[in-house]
Amino acid sequence: MNAAAQIGRSTEIKLPSVRIAFLRDYTIETFLPSLKVECARIGLWPETYLNDFDVIEQELLNPSSGLNSFKPEVVVLALRIHKLARRLMMEFGEASKEEIETLAANVIERTRNIINILRQQSSAVVLVHDFEMPDFPPLGFIDSQSTNGLHNVIRRLNLSLVSMVNEFTGAYVVDVDYVASQVGYRNAIDHKYWQIGKAPYTFAFNLALAKEYVKPIRALKGKAKKCLVLDCDNTLWGGIVGEDGINGIKLGNTHPGSSYADFHLAVLDLYHRGVLLALCSKNNESDALEVFISHPDSKLKKEHFVTHRINWQDKATNLREIAAELNIGTDSLVFMDDSEFECNLVRRELPEVLTVHLTGDASSYRSVLQGLGVFDTLTISDEDRKRSSMYRADTERKATLANATSMEEYLASLEMVLTISKATDFAIPRIAQLTQKTNQFNLTTRRYSEDEIRSFASNDCSDVYFAELNDKFDSSGIIAVAIVKRDGQEADIDTFLMSCRVIGRGVEDAMVAHIVGESKEKGVIQIRGHYLPTAKNGQVADFYETLGFFAVGDKAPGTWALEPAEADMQTPSWFKDIITGGESKP
Amino acid sequence: VSIDDRIKTVMSNVFGIPVDHIDDQASPDTLEAWDSLNAMNLSVSLEEEFNVMFTSEELSEMSNFKLIRLVLLEKGVEG
């Protein structure tokens, strides 16, 4: 509580805010200090709104209510069984089987109705608390013997809640029951403050819950980590491969090698979630790589790593190079190493990297990694699952570059096919994700939810374009997004962003040429582009100027304009084909 | 640091007012910020500061500065 008060005094004005509204039926005020502390850790300050008790539907339905004028980015539905179905929690022994089912169904129906109203009114991300099991079941030992015991009823209720929440886009479950079980049910519930002030949860629980909240908030605000960089010796195996040899290192099915093998599997789980993996280690390159190529118990293979720096230069330099090669910021890196020296060096040189010092007991490595909670995304798309292979194809492209005599010749040799389409239902989740995650090649850095993208796409006065790129090495998936809003004969490019993986290939020129061409057909006389500077997007400051837009003097700085009728936009010649999609609205 | 100063520092943090605005007569009647929610925040913060646990009966007795001081002394906190 003191920490929150101190952060409040020192940084409230400086940190960017995240607007969170709570619809609750208990005293959640005691949770807010923990939330502030955890949000401040990721550089955000929560502005919060709390409803008065017992007026949730009224707040939702009244357009001028406090909730609706607050304009939240996140709405939390924090309701407890104790209020939604008190008889279930407090008079369970008396209730018949049929009544229990009705009570549970009513809980789902009420929450569905609330989310439904929310969805129609706002495109805020909705977080829905599930329900924690009671610390002591009313039927004692017998409770566990029946599928209709209270614990099992609540487990089923939580499953139904997940299915119901999945009916909505942009709505997610916060697994309060899991958080309570992490802390321990008896340490999670505070009966004293529940009786005194309807504040049911302990400080320990609230802190754990705040850490859970930060996961979706981090993803929503584009602050998720993207790449895990690992040391080798005594991190991915026990011992030193250069001295012990590939047959002497500890890695395998039995202790102590099993700790490292299990750690490999946790790293692989991240790989399958779309996290990039890289190696940064002081070894002879061939010694270390040999483990991933030919050690039978190495679950991590060479192809799982998108890049590596196995050499004798300092690790801060190596990490900078890895970030530059992958076109991501160093603040998107997590670095794990068993050496305190290396960790301290990186912490000093690159404080923005999340550096994790593995302190020697390899049996803890797996849970240390899994407990970080910094890689979360709101959805896992097919592109996430394929991401590492896309980056690896990049490396092969660079090899081709070495053989080409001119850049244009090289680009032509890639046989690139660019497809520019209007947003489809299929593409909307990835488009929203790109607006949330892209920091560098992003002209305005506006973060949008899936529902906001959907509403731009279906609106007659706005268009959402996206581009996909295929070449002879790989399919890059969706790599660029533009949102254009029209007002009569004027148009504004509200959003223009591109994945850094495809910089320098002319995608942006082709895309702007297409947008300008379509605007001309629609009778637009002036189209405007905007640049909103951030700490990350300096590289696109001259974007519109380079494309022949002229600065608009009477507008705010960073506004550029073009008259489509006069424009002579060149589409790059090196694409094998550019396919432009139809006009359909989703 | 005396028990009085420690209690007042906690109050100052919870209520968001300077320590010298809190005197021995402090109570919900003299301090606007001492509402029912902050009463709860205050007891949590006092439990943290003095490493004690209040019973719910004690909490209902702790309705002003002097009574808080008394309850803490009864719980064995050094004056």
Side-chain angles (χ1 to χ4, degrees):
Chain A
M1 198 157 296
N2 276 336
Q6 278 164 23
I7 295 169
R9 279 192 291 274
S10 62
T11 60
E12 186 160 12
I13 334 122
K14 288 175 226 152
L15 293 176
S17 70
V18 50
R19 302 177 67 76
I20 308 175
F22 290 88
L23 298 175
R24 48 64 187 267
D25 61 10
Y26 63 91
T27 305
I28 205 167
E29 282 85 342
T30 54
F31 168 62
L32 301 183
S34 298
L35 183 65
K36 285 173 183 167
V37 170
E38 289 304 316
C39 283
R41 269 186 215 276
I42 60 164
L44 293 171
W45 185 253
E47 304 283 348
T48 53
Y49 172 82
L50 305 180
N51 68 303
D52 292 333
F53 287 118
D54 300 324
V55 292
I56 291 174
E57 282 85 351
Q58 292 90 315
E59 285 244 7
L60 282 169
L61 293 168
N62 174 3
S64 59
S65 69
L67 171 73
N68 284 318
S69 33
F70 178 71
K71 304 231 176 304
E73 295 166 81
V74 178
V75 180
V76 177
L77 200 55
L79 306 178
R80 297 185 82 226
I81 294 288
H82 298 74
K83 194 76 192 249
L84 284 170
R86 182 178 156 78
R87 191 164 160 82
L88 210 51
M89 267 307 179
M90 304 307 291
E91 298 165 4
F92 187 73
E94 209 178 86
S96 69
K97 189 171 168 249
E98 292 71 28
E99 195 187 347
I100 290 166
E101 277 176 20
T102 309
L103 287 166
N106 288 347
V107 167
I108 296 295
E109 213 31 61
R110 169 120 190 258
T111 41
R112 176 189 278 121
N113 184 41
I114 292 171
I115 303 173
N116 198 22
I117 304 172
L118 262 173
R119 256 298 140 267
Q120 287 165 23
Q121 296 181 341
S122 130
S123 49
V125 164
V126 181
L127 300 180
V128 186
H129 282 200
D130 74 359
F131 310 110
E132 85 271 3
M133 295 199 283
D135 42 5
F136 298 98
L139 306 181
F141 184 68
I142 293 292
D143 193 86
S144 320
Q145 312 313 312
S146 160
T147 55
N148 293 311
L150 181 53
H151 275 180
N152 286 327
V153 166
I154 301 227
R155 287 190 178 105
R156 268 207 305 283
L157 189 52
N158 283 341
L159 286 178
S160 312
L161 189 79
V162 173
S163 309
M164 183 274 287
V165 168
N166 277 331
E167 294 166 15
F168 300 93
T169 54
Y172 307 91
V173 171
V174 175
D175 195 346
V176 164
D177 184 58
Y178 163 65
V179 173
S181 70
Q182 276 182 313
V183 178
Y185 292 104
R186 289 173 205 177
N187 299 315
I189 303 299
D190 194 323
H191 296 287
K192 183 170 65 185
Y193 290 107
W194 172 244
Q195 295 298 345
I196 292 173
K198 290 285 169 272
Y201 298 121
T202 60
F203 177 70
F205 171 89
N206 282 331
L207 199 59
L209 182 65
K211 288 179 194 297
E212 198 65 20
Y213 265 58
V214 163
K215 295 175 186 174
I217 292 172
R218 190 192 279 277
L220 179 71
K221 289 292 194 172
K223 289 177 176 288
K225 303 288 180 183
K226 294 170 183 164
C227 178
L228 173 63
V229 187
L230 293 155
D231 172 48
C232 290
D233 289 334
N234 288 316
T235 296
L236 286 174
W237 53 77
I240 296 166
V241 67
E243 292 171 14
D244 304 328
I246 189 162
N247 297 321
I249 56 171
K250 300 184 188 77
L251 180 62
N253 293 326
T254 52
H255 181 78
S258 55
S259 292
Y260 296 96
D262 285 357
F263 181 53
H264 279 214
L265 293 174
V267 173
L268 268 179
D269 278 342
L270 289 177
Y271 171 83
H272 291 299
R273 278 163 59 178
V275 174
L276 301 170
L277 305 180
L279 294 168
C280 177
S281 143
K282 286 185 174 164
N283 284 97
N284 290 322
E285 186 175 298
S286 57
D287 288 348
L289 289 182
E290 191 57 26
V291 176
F292 303 106
I293 294 166
S294 54
H295 195 294
D297 293 318
S298 181
K299 316 285 187 206
L300 287 165
K301 303 296 179 195
K302 185 163 175 279
E303 60 268 25
H304 292 128
F305 296 97
V306 57
T307 188
H308 55 76
R309 289 292 182 282
I310 304 170
N311 55 36
W312 304 95
Q313 75 177 350
D314 79 88
K315 294 206 173 184
T317 305
N318 279 332
L319 288 169
R320 280 193 198 97
E321 285 184 18
I322 287 170
E325 180 183 338
L326 301 178
N327 274 320
I328 57 179
T330 43
D331 61 354
S332 298
L333 301 180
V334 174
F335 171 59
M336 292 182 109
D337 198 314
D338 67 294
S339 154
E340 196 168 3
F341 169 81
E342 301 292 356
C343 288
N344 285 339
L345 176 94
V346 171
R347 285 192 185 115
R348 196 183 63 229
E349 295 291 315
L350 300 169
E352 69 278 18
V353 172
L354 175 60
T355 298
V356 181
H357 179 213
L358 296 167
T359 48
D361 181 359
S363 63
S364 70
Y365 290 4
R366 181 178 163 87
S367 59
V368 166
L369 176 62
Q370 292 178 323
L372 286 179
V374 296
F375 296 107
D376 291 273
T377 49
L378 291 176
T379 50
I380 297 182
S381 64
D382 288 341
E383 266 102 35
D384 289 328
R385 296 196 180 96
K386 285 173 59 188
R387 174 144 326 112
S388 271
S389 65
M390 295 178 197
Y391 274 93
R392 234 181 9 262
D394 268 353
T395 314
E396 289 163 26
R397 277 182 209 106
K398 279 170 188 157
T400 309
L401 175 59
N403 298 325
T405 50
S406 79
M407 186 54 99
E408 288 194 16
E409 191 179 316
Y410 160 69
L411 291 170
S413 75
L414 295 176
E415 298 170 15
M416 293 186 290
V417 177
L418 182 69
T419 308
I420 303 173
S421 321
K422 297 278 176 63
T424 56
D425 278 336
F426 163 76
I428 282 170
R430 170 67 176 157
I431 292 172
Q433 195 191 40
L434 277 170
T435 69
Q436 290 158 21
K437 288 173 68 169
T438 310
N439 295 318
Q440 297 183 95
F441 202 109
N442 192 340
L443 272 296
T444 53
T445 320
R446 294 192 174 114
R447 313 293 192 193
Y448 290 121
S449 66
E450 285 182 32
D451 285 301
E452 286 168 314
I453 298 293
R454 187 167 289 113
S455 83
F456 291 139
S458 56
N459 191 319
D460 282 337
C461 296
S462 55
D463 283 310
V464 178
Y465 298 89
F466 68 94
E468 295 164 289
L469 188 66
N470 295 301
D471 66 24
K472 67 178 179 184
F473 294 110
D474 195 23
S475 147
S476 288
I478 300 175
I479 38 76
V481 171
I483 301 172
V484 178
K485 296 178 174 173
R486 280 185 311 280
D487 183 6
Q489 294 179 320
E490 300 187 351
D492 287 279
I493 305 175
D494 171 90
T495 293
F496 194 98
L497 63 85
M498 191 172 79
S499 161
C500 287
R501 292 203 316 270
V502 297
I503 281 177
R505 296 170 67 175
V507 169
E508 62 275 34
D509 307 68
M511 188 123 169
V512 172
H514 177 66
I515 291 169
V516 170
E518 272 212 350
S519 302
K520 191 170 160 183
E521 284 167 25
K522 290 186 172 160
V524 170
I525 288 175
Q526 188 184 67
I527 182 161
R528 284 183 296 266
H530 307 269
Y531 168 66
L532 304 177
T534 69
K536 295 278 185 67
N537 70 355
Q539 63 171 276
V540 292
D542 301 329
F543 179 69
Y544 287 113
E545 190 175 12
T546 314
L547 287 168
F549 283 56
F550 53 90
V552 182
D554 56 343
K555 300 274 175 188
T559 298
W560 306 82
L562 188 75
E563 290 169 9
E566 306 293 313
D568 179 26
M569 302 291 294
Q570 294 296 325
T571 298
S573 58
W574 49 77
F575 287 98
K576 186 180 167 205
D577 199 2
I578 296 179
I579 302 165
T580 51
E583 283 288 313
S584 63
K585 292 271 179 189
Chain B
V1 188
S2 77
I3 182 172
D4 289 30
D5 289 345
R6 287 170 74 190
I7 297 172
K8 284 175 185 173
T9 306
V10 170
M11 287 182 155
S12 144
N13 277 328
V14 170
F15 299 144
I17 52 177
V19 178
D20 55 21
H21 284 47
I22 301 166
D23 59 25
D24 291 1
Q25 308 306 317
S27 79
D29 297 330
T30 68
L31 295 175
E32 201 187 333
W34 196 332
D35 57 16
S36 57
L37 179 67
N38 268 339
M40 233 164 21
N41 287 335
L42 177 62
S43 54
V44 173
S45 298
L46 288 169
E47 286 178 338
E48 201 177 299
E49 167 69 21
F50 292 98
N51 196 23
V52 293
M53 288 291 274
F54 301 117
T55 65
S56 49
E57 288 81 5
E58 285 166 340
L59 287 182
S60 43
E61 288 164 14
M62 291 161 53
S63 55
N64 62 43
F65 173 81
K66 286 178 179 168
L67 288 168
I68 287 173
R69 188 174 183 281
L70 190 67
V71 168
L72 282 168
L73 289 173
E74 279 173 4
K75 292 184 87 70
V77 172
E78 299 286 320

